Amino acid sequence: MSLRKDFANGLLAENPTFRLLLGMCPTLAVSTSVFNGIGMGLAATFVLVGSNAIVSLVRSIIPEKIRIPCYVVIIATFVTVVDLAMAGFTPALHQTLGIFIPLIVVNCIILARAEAFASKRALLNSIADGFGMGIGFTLALVVLSLIREMLGTGVVFAAPDFNFAGVKLLADEYRSVIMILAPGGFITLGCTLGLINWLSRPRSSGGSKS
Amino acid sequence: MRDTIRLSVILGIICVISALVLSGMYSLTRDRIEQANARKLEEALAQVLPGQNSFKAFEDLGNALNGSLGSVTEVYLASGDDFGGIAAKAAPAGYGGPIEMVVGIARDGAVRGVRIISQSETPGLGTEVTRDAFTGQFEGRSTPESLKVKQDGGSIDAVTGATISSRAVTRGVSDVLDVFHRLSALGVLAGGSSSAGEEEQN
């Protein structure tokens, strides 16, 4: 299996958010602004690549029966190490991405890829899969947060950490706060999933309707 | 049975290795993280009392005020231009956890600045209270009584959709003002030769 195929798999065909429906909780939580979406996506990508690599390396010494608790310990350790390293060596980055770390620990995409992919495949393939899944997750978050941020605040790409007020698209009287609250998350996610399913529905060949 | 023991031992070994890696990483980064946090606090203190770069921690705050501090956690006495003023750290409960903030109060009792250091409010809603547009409203205020959001009959404009977060920050500022007034009534601020708070903070 080629590395490129493993990488591309996560982008669309098995997009973790839109196709596998994994990691819904952090998705709903952070897709309130594009800035948050990208931050969460990048942090998750990094952790996915790292945890996939470690799980793939130790896959032969972990007994089948206790693999899940082993993966949980490995992932939790890796995430905590990343958190500490970021806080200690790159405090500025930690200030921006740090709030996503606790959400990554409970992100089931990480465990799902360890179980479904990295535990059976070679190191490089697992890294490619982690990378593809991470980028796919980031793309999905950007799509959802773009919709929610625009309808909810009227502004897109607002990045308070970089003192960037964002690009104003809607006048204040047209925005609806509900879109950046939890219900707006469900509405946006549901409509986007429906649209994607409709676009990718199997089409009947020819003009016959049946 | 034997299999159970074998599996337990393997899982145990993995946990021990994880613990070793974690404790190694922790001791490697502990000093740096503490330094980074101290620097962050120092910066925030200097921001809320501009022109001031030396602060003394006020120790024994709980005893001095009979334990009723509201949400105030630490008080720093200003010693330079703003001698008699204070910068205080408060952590009122917001919507998603405590909102850590520092408030600077000049010697005349007016709020000089408010900065949020850390919070876990709803992104896009509660997090708006960290913006200058909201925190700027407190500058120049000096009476704790008027510090309420408009919904509660005060004069602070709450952030739309984030009344709880706005209320929390407002309470933090009013608690700090309250502590300031009680400290100055005790005479430990301007001119008072305070015996508490010996530690130099800079």
Side-chain angles (χ1 to χ4, degrees):
Chain A
M1 188 74 95
S2 74
L3 292 180
R4 187 139 47 113
K5 212 170 163 191
D6 285 334
F7 169 74
N9 184 38
L11 299 183
L12 292 171
E14 279 191 30
N15 184 292
T17 307
F18 293 141
R19 278 291 174 220
L20 305 181
L21 297 192
L22 290 171
M24 291 292 107
C25 178
T27 300
L28 291 169
V30 304
S31 61
T32 50
S33 75
V34 177
F35 178 75
N36 278 342
I38 293 175
M40 176 71 181
L42 293 184
T45 305
F46 184 71
V47 171
L48 257 170
V49 171
S51 75
N52 262 11
I54 299 173
V55 168
S56 173
L57 283 176
V58 299
R59 69 188 189 280
S60 54
I61 56 170
I62 290 181
E64 173 81 10
K65 283 182 185 162
I66 52 164
R67 63 187 194 286
I68 299 289
C70 291
Y71 298 156
V72 171
V73 171
I74 290 171
I75 293 167
T77 307
F78 183 71
V79 173
T80 312
V81 165
V82 170
D83 187 31
L84 287 173
M86 258 166 61
F89 298 101
T90 55
L93 188 66
H94 187 259
Q95 179 136 30
T96 310
L97 291 187
I99 52 165
F100 303 115
I101 301 282
L103 286 168
I104 292 177
V105 180
V106 295
N107 192 330
C108 58
I109 298 174
I110 320 276
L111 185 63
R113 293 326 286 175
E115 162 72 6
F117 198 95
S119 61
K120 300 170 188 120
R121 308 294 286 274
L123 175 65
L124 285 179
N125 295 72
S126 301
I127 291 176
D129 177 75
F131 208 59
M133 284 290 159
I135 301 295
F137 183 51
T138 311
L139 283 177
L141 285 176
V142 168
V143 169
L144 293 174
S145 52
L146 201 60
I147 300 171
R148 290 181 67 188
E149 189 178 13
M150 185 187 74
L151 297 178
T153 65
V155 171
V156 288
F157 305 120
D161 288 22
F162 298 114
N163 285 320
F164 181 58
V167 181
K168 194 151 185 72
L169 290 182
L170 279 181
D172 278 355
E173 54 267 39
Y174 295 119
R175 63 182 191 166
S176 45
V177 171
I178 192 173
M179 291 310 286
I180 49 174
L181 293 172
F186 283 105
I187 294 169
T188 313
L189 184 62
C191 292
T192 315
L193 281 176
L195 182 70
I196 287 176
N197 281 347
W198 182 73
L199 286 175
S200 58
R201 72 196 182 283
R203 281 154 224 252
S204 53
S205 55
S208 65
K209 285 184 181 175
S210 57
Chain B
M1 184 61 200
R2 198 195 252 152
D3 201 37
T4 312
I5 295 173
R6 192 179 68 92
L7 293 178
S8 313
V9 169
I10 293 179
L11 191 54
I13 292 173
I14 289 178
C15 290
V16 169
I17 294 174
S18 290
L20 288 177
V21 170
L22 280 181
S23 58
M25 199 63 200
Y26 176 70
S27 50
L28 198 69
T29 54
R30 185 181 45 198
D31 289 348
R32 289 172 154 275
I33 292 175
E34 270 172 17
Q35 277 168 20
N37 286 341
R39 203 163 46 234
K40 212 161 116 185
L41 178 64
E42 242 166 53
E43 274 170 21
L45 290 176
Q47 273 179 346
V48 295
L49 274 186
Q52 174 75 36
N53 49 24
S54 151
F55 293 95
K56 269 199 302 188
F58 187 93
E59 283 164 16
D60 227 14
L61 188 63
N63 277 342
L65 298 176
N66 297 324
S68 61
L69 299 172
S71 57
V72 178
T73 54
E74 287 162 37
V75 168
Y76 297 86
L77 304 177
S79 51
D81 297 344
D82 262 311
F83 180 64
I86 61 165
K89 204 167 154 187
Y95 187 70
I99 301 178
E100 273 190 47
M101 51 192 276
V102 286
V103 179
I105 297 181
R107 96 188 101 183
D108 61 358
V111 175
R112 286 286 296 276
V114 176
R115 285 286 174 285
I116 315 287
I117 314 179
S118 78
Q119 43 79 24
S120 37
E121 302 305 286
T122 315
L125 279 178
T127 52
E128 297 291 305
V129 299
T130 61
R131 304 268 179 101
D132 289 345
F134 180 73
T135 57
Q137 296 184 76
F138 297 104
E139 274 164 43
R141 308 244 177 186
S142 52
T143 43
E145 294 75 32
S146 74
L147 281 179
K148 278 182 183 159
V149 293
K150 283 192 173 148
Q151 285 91 328
D152 298 340
S155 54
I156 299 291
D157 276 315
V159 172
T160 313
T163 313
I164 294 178
S165 312
S166 309
R167 220 175 247 157
V169 173
T170 309
R171 192 174 60 247
V173 178
S174 107
D175 283 351
V176 171
L177 263 178
D178 181 54
V179 163
F180 173 82
H181 284 307
R182 282 155 62 204
L183 284 177
S184 74
L186 287 174
V188 292
L189 296 180
S193 52
S194 151
S195 57
E198 301 299 326
E199 196 192 346
E200 194 66 37
Q201 269 295 304
N202 202 359

